[in-house]
Amino acid sequence: MKIAIASGKGGTGKTTVAVNLALSIQDAQLIDCDVEEPNCNLFLKKELEQVTEVTSMIPEIVEENCTYCKKCSDFCRFNAIATLPNKILTFPTLCHSCGGCIMVCPEGAIQKHETITGIIRKTSADDENGPELYEGLLDIGQTMASPVISELKKNIDPGRTAIIDAPPGTACPVLTTLEDVDYCILVTEPTPFGLHDLKLAVEVVRTLEIPHGIVINRSGSGDDSVEEYCMNEGIEILMNIPHDTKIAQLYSEGIPFVQEMGQWKEKFIHIYSSIQDRYGREIEA
Amino acid sequence: MKQLVIISGKGGTGKTTITAAIASMAENAIIADCDVDAPNLHLVLEPEITEASDFHGMEIAHIDTERCTGCNICIENCNFDAIYTDHSINSCKCEGCGVCEYVCPENAIKMINNPSGSVFDSMTRYGPMVHAELMIGEEASGKLVTAVKEHASSLAGENGAELIICDGPPGTGCPVIAAITGADLALIVTEPSLSGIHDLERIIQVTDHFRIPAIVCINKYSINEENTKQIEISCKENGIIVAGKLPYDTIPNKAMIGKKTVIEYADNEFSENLREIWKTVRSELCESP
């Protein structure tokens, strides 16, 4: 089954929950979909090998064929092409790769040009210790995270458990990550900021009709408003991770706390079994 | 007029806490919340909305089922898998490119307006503020960030403001690039965790790429003083000023719960450090061309 870890607000502990959960259960895949800032491997510290490059198609103008008729720039809704009287300019970072400019050009003056926007990496095949990690990495200066996430998710093995670390926010990259997951763990912190963004995240999972539960991180560092909200909305609180200097220090050193505080492993296994029992799909033969 | 943007790469390092504090120290400034995915600044600054405007992102496709003959040419040409096999549109996936409208032989597809959020011009106890709401799952968060900044610029013009303070989103992608475009200085808030350091390196690559001058502030430094030292050394090696350090403390949460900035909340080491940070940031801003 596919379990996503999401949050709305950044820095609430998505990666912490994803990594510790993946380390606690058997034979998991860990899919780091925060392709703008992938951090799971800072905790696993594995050698990664490249699986594939993510490319997108951008227009390349064959200027000797171009008559500067403006049909391409008029068609492009992303302002990625500008036609001047004797010059045509393209802005690759604005291009969404729809292919429209190529279709509308009456002179055949636009070619497809592949550009790399990111890469997908994984733990090497002979590394059998711990979860199998896949991560996507968006190139610096690139704007389009979603295509990297879509490509990354193709590596999910439907026969295994995938723990999916989502990016923060509520926009397109989050929706691409959450599409077709079986369950979503929302991680929050007990503060007004945490609660505000939790409500946005709950709206997302409700819209997508994904079953969900909450992990409260740094529990005890703020107020009770998150717990009250969950009670009023009938949302299950799966776990409280206390506000604890030792956990914060281990985090800062990139050490998953289940490795140093063994009792937590049981708690993560318990969460997993209870999700699996209720929401796990029968694997189709 | 100068533009300061507060970013971090990693989420939860304290961008909004520090932005709110700067808003309460800066004079003659416009405040802009450019984290339109998960805006929080209004929770502390409690703006009163003076004007709300609808924000339209990209238009999206609409298929007229009466005219549609089910030929699938639209589906074959859509690069975003945004058209279901029953010829309805997945509005989350539709990027609004207009290719389906162009290729449809029956003229059954029209691009229609898509309300995707709101921009608010507001007033706070520290001056005018612009913030926004993005409808869930909307595509155009970078475009909405740009709209927020445009509103902030015109408010700055009307008010003769000298500074726009932008609270930025986490990450390195579309909304971040929209937020830092045109900024005179980026204040990068980091923390001394491996994740914080990793994301700091990535966000500095982004500010370098777009040639935005950057300055760093280390929050929660007492969690790991060894890593803090490492950040200071690597900033020095790369010619980046560290404007200051803030300890790991419960003050930001307490202030937030009381809807106060950390400057308003109490005079202590924390607020004192922040005043020093603001002094450095201000003088860097003055020196920027």
Side-chain angles (χ1 to χ4, degrees):
Chain A
M1 80 180 296
K2 287 177 269 191
I3 303 175
I5 323 293
S7 74
K9 178 167 158 46
T12 55
K14 285 180 295 300
T15 302
T16 299
V17 171
V19 169
N20 283 295
L21 180 59
L23 282 169
S24 299
I25 60 182
Q26 296 290 320
D27 191 36
Q29 282 189 311
L30 178 58
I31 313 290
D32 193 344
C33 287
D34 189 359
V35 302
E36 295 180 37
E37 298 285 16
N39 284 347
C40 286
N41 197 41
L42 295 174
F43 296 88
L44 297 182
K45 302 179 170 75
K46 302 259 194 189
E47 288 283 326
L48 298 183
E49 57 189 39
Q50 184 166 320
V51 180
T52 180
E53 284 172 342
V54 184
T55 58
S56 71
M57 189 281 302
I58 58 167
E60 188 174 66
I61 315 282
V62 183
E63 205 146 348
E64 61 256 38
N65 296 344
C66 177
T67 60
Y68 311 105
C69 71
K70 291 193 176 176
K71 288 203 169 103
C72 57
S73 43
D74 288 346
F75 184 85
C76 179
R77 290 165 172 253
F78 307 107
N79 304 316
I81 308 183
T83 313
L84 307 174
N86 290 304
K87 180 93 196 138
I88 183 157
L89 300 169
T90 59
F91 303 97
T93 54
L94 298 178
C95 176
H96 286 227
S97 306
C98 70
C101 52
I102 293 171
M103 286 178 201
V104 300
C105 177
E107 312 294 336
I110 308 181
Q111 294 178 345
K112 288 183 183 180
H113 175 76
E114 272 201 331
T115 180
I116 297 166
T117 58
I119 54 168
I120 310 294
R121 299 190 292 196
K122 72 180 284 279
T123 40
S124 77
D126 46 338
D127 183 347
E128 286 174 355
N129 274 328
E132 181 186 38
L133 173 71
Y134 280 87
E135 71 166 34
L137 185 66
L138 182 70
D139 277 6
I140 293 295
Q142 290 292 334
T143 57
M144 303 279 287
S146 294
V148 180
I149 296 170
S150 299
E151 187 63 40
L152 172 64
K153 286 181 72 184
K154 290 181 187 162
N155 295 294
I156 294 175
D157 176 352
R160 294 167 67 184
T161 297
I163 306 298
I164 303 170
D165 193 10
T170 55
C172 192
V174 178
L175 269 90
T176 307
T177 303
L178 296 184
E179 192 187 5
D180 70 31
V181 305
D182 301 301
Y183 190 87
C184 184
I185 298 175
L186 297 172
V187 186
T188 187
E189 54 186 35
T191 64
F193 290 3
L195 174 62
H196 177 267
D197 297 349
L198 172 64
K199 289 178 183 168
L200 298 176
V202 167
E203 215 180 310
V204 171
V205 291
R206 282 184 176 161
T207 307
L208 298 174
E209 297 176 358
I210 301 170
H212 51 278
I214 310 282
V215 169
I216 302 177
N217 192 15
R218 300 185 201 103
S219 178
S221 67
D223 56 17
D224 299 329
S225 53
V226 167
E227 274 162 315
E228 280 166 26
Y229 165 77
C230 290
M231 192 130 63
N232 292 335
E233 295 287 322
I235 302 170
E236 181 183 13
I237 297 176
L238 300 163
M239 179 187 270
N240 278 282
I241 302 173
H243 178 63
D244 179 308
T245 316
K246 176 149 191 220
I247 291 178
Q249 273 162 358
L250 288 170
Y251 174 82
S252 76
E253 290 163 21
I255 300 170
F257 67 86
V258 293
Q259 287 178 350
E260 299 283 320
M261 302 159 85
Q263 72 277 23
W264 281 93
K265 206 167 187 170
E266 296 301 316
K267 299 186 189 184
F268 279 105
I269 293 171
H270 177 75
I271 290 187
Y272 172 70
S273 324
S274 101
I275 294 171
Q276 168 74 23
D277 288 350
R278 286 176 295 165
Y279 303 103
R281 276 190 232 165
E282 290 295 315
I283 291 161
E284 286 159 36
Chain B
M1 191 205 26
K2 295 291 170 80
Q3 225 184 86
L4 170 69
V5 61
I6 292 93
I7 48 174
S8 66
K10 178 169 160 50
T13 58
K15 283 182 297 299
T16 302
T17 295
I18 289 173
T19 305
I22 288 178
S24 64
M25 293 184 285
E27 277 162 22
N28 202 10
I30 307 289
I31 305 150
D33 192 345
C34 293
D35 186 359
V36 299
D37 263 44
N40 289 147
L41 196 55
H42 65 285
L43 298 172
V44 176
L45 297 181
E46 302 186 283
E48 283 195 21
I49 296 169
T50 50
E51 199 181 327
S53 18
D54 288 339
F55 167 74
H56 296 277
M58 299 302 296
E59 290 184 334
I60 61 167
H62 173 78
I63 302 185
D64 179 347
T65 46
E66 301 272 294
R67 288 189 163 197
C68 175
T69 58
C71 71
N72 288 345
I73 290 176
C74 56
I75 297 179
E76 286 156 21
N77 282 280
C78 176
N79 277 351
F80 309 104
D81 299 328
I83 307 172
Y84 293 116
T85 48
D86 69 351
H87 305 96
S88 61
I89 301 291
N90 179 337
S91 59
C92 287
K93 289 196 163 182
C94 176
E95 304 243 353
C97 68
V99 162
C100 54
E101 180 187 43
Y102 178 77
V103 298
C104 177
E106 308 297 333
N107 274 329
I109 307 183
K110 287 271 160 298
M111 300 305 290
I112 56 166
N113 239 332
N114 179 34
S116 44
S118 313
V119 179
F120 307 108
D121 293 359
S122 300
M123 187 47 94
T124 74
R125 58 191 183 278
Y126 295 113
M129 169 168 171
V130 183
H131 47 125
E133 247 172 39
L134 184 68
M135 282 160 78
I136 292 298
E138 277 301 332
E139 173 62 39
S141 64
K143 215 177 159 196
L144 181 53
V145 169
T146 305
V148 167
K149 292 184 61 168
E150 283 166 2
H151 277 244
S153 290
S154 66
L155 274 183
E158 287 164 27
N159 289 272
E162 286 159 10
L163 176 65
I164 297 176
I165 304 165
C166 303
D167 190 7
T172 62
C174 179
V176 175
I177 292 170
I180 67 172
T181 300
D184 297 285
L185 183 67
L187 172 61
I188 304 174
V189 182
T190 188
E191 60 175 41
S193 61
L194 287 193
S195 311
I197 294 171
H198 170 262
D199 296 356
L200 172 64
E201 285 164 4
R202 296 249 311 157
I203 196 71
I204 288 175
Q205 288 176 36
V206 175
T207 52
D208 278 353
H209 184 93
F210 293 99
R211 301 205 173 88
I212 311 287
I215 179 169
V216 165
C217 157
I218 307 171
N219 193 13
K220 311 178 197 175
Y221 79 85
S222 45
I223 285 185
N224 192 323
E225 308 222 8
E226 201 51 46
N227 285 347
T228 299
K229 225 175 274 169
Q230 202 195 316
I231 295 172
E232 289 174 306
I233 292 168
S234 108
C235 282
K236 199 170 176 189
E237 281 171 1
N238 291 291
I240 295 167
I241 294 173
V242 175
K245 297 185 281 187
L246 297 165
Y248 187 48
D249 205 303
T250 53
I251 289 170
N253 280 1
K254 287 180 188 155
M256 187 198 298
I257 289 164
K259 299 184 174 169
K260 288 191 163 87
T261 75
V262 289
I263 299 294
E264 294 167 304
Y265 177 71
D267 281 329
N268 46 36
E269 190 200 335
F270 200 95
S271 60
E272 204 39 55
N273 288 2
L274 251 171
R275 285 180 202 281
E276 289 301 316
I277 290 168
W278 170 230
K279 260 189 215 163
T280 310
V281 171
R282 202 173 44 189
S283 80
E284 282 302 303
L285 267 174
C286 290
E287 278 171 27
S288 70

